[in-house]
Amino acid sequence: NARVSFTVLLDSSAGFQNIKFLDGMILGAQNCTTTGSFLSLNSGNRWFQNDAFNLQDSIEMLYYYDSTGDANTIASPGANIGTYIYEGVTSPLYWLVRNETRYFKTTYTAADFNNIQNDSLLLVAYDQINGKRKAKNLVAGDVYSFKTTYSKYGMFLVEQVTGTDSGTIKFSIKMQK
């Protein structure tokens, strides 16, 4: 009888990684005059539509209110967002760089989200097959996982939704660095 044995070691760089936490982010809907709708996950900066047009490659998330059924929505510039939401030549529909972040609604609770300490849950929570370009009809307590164009995984927790097309959404994000 021949016998073979293996010793498998975990590479020191192959563990779960630290995460970035963007706490209490507020985005304004398309007609909000106080807070921009467009977000860079890399920097955490927010912009209004006209400024975001000049930073297309940086924008990975945006927020709007759709009165035709999707209500409070976080989407990616790569989603098909009608020009009735964002009007004019700076509408994301006309951008040359339309990053596509995809979203999946989880069954996780706010407590689950708050307990995330590294990227382990971020990696397993996302459903590649069922990820969509829009997270629709958002309400406080919703937890969504996401994957960016740049293959960064994350989750967000909706904390508060106020108003309609001139309202705001408050949410927190945990994502890979």
Side-chain angles (χ1 to χ4, degrees), residues 18-22 41-44 173-177:
N18 290 329
I19 56 173
K20 178 192 298 190
F21 183 37
L22 300 173
L41 291 170
N42 187 43
S43 69
I173 299 169
K174 292 188 178 184
M175 65 177 288
Q176 291 178 309
K177 288 186 175 183

Side-chain angles (χ1 to χ4, degrees), residues 16 108 112-113 116 118-126 145 155:
F16 295 119
Y108 295 112
D112 296 330
F113 176 87
I116 295 173
N118 59 45
D119 68 350
S120 61
L121 187 58
L122 305 180
L123 295 169
V124 299
Y126 182 72
S145 66
M155 292 179 98

Side-chain angles (χ1 to χ4, degrees), residues 48-65:
F48 290 98
Q49 179 178 336
N50 288 340
D51 296 322
F53 179 79
N54 296 315
L55 301 161
Q56 296 172 20
D57 60 339
S58 299
I59 306 301
E60 296 160 299
M61 267 186 190
L62 53 90
Y63 169 67
Y64 64 89
Y65 182 84

Side-chain angles (χ1 to χ4, degrees), residues 106-116 121 141-143 155 157:
T106 72
T107 57
Y108 295 112
T109 65
D112 296 330
F113 176 87
N114 291 330
N115 286 327
I116 295 173
L121 187 58
D142 282 349
V143 178
M155 292 179 98
L157 165 65

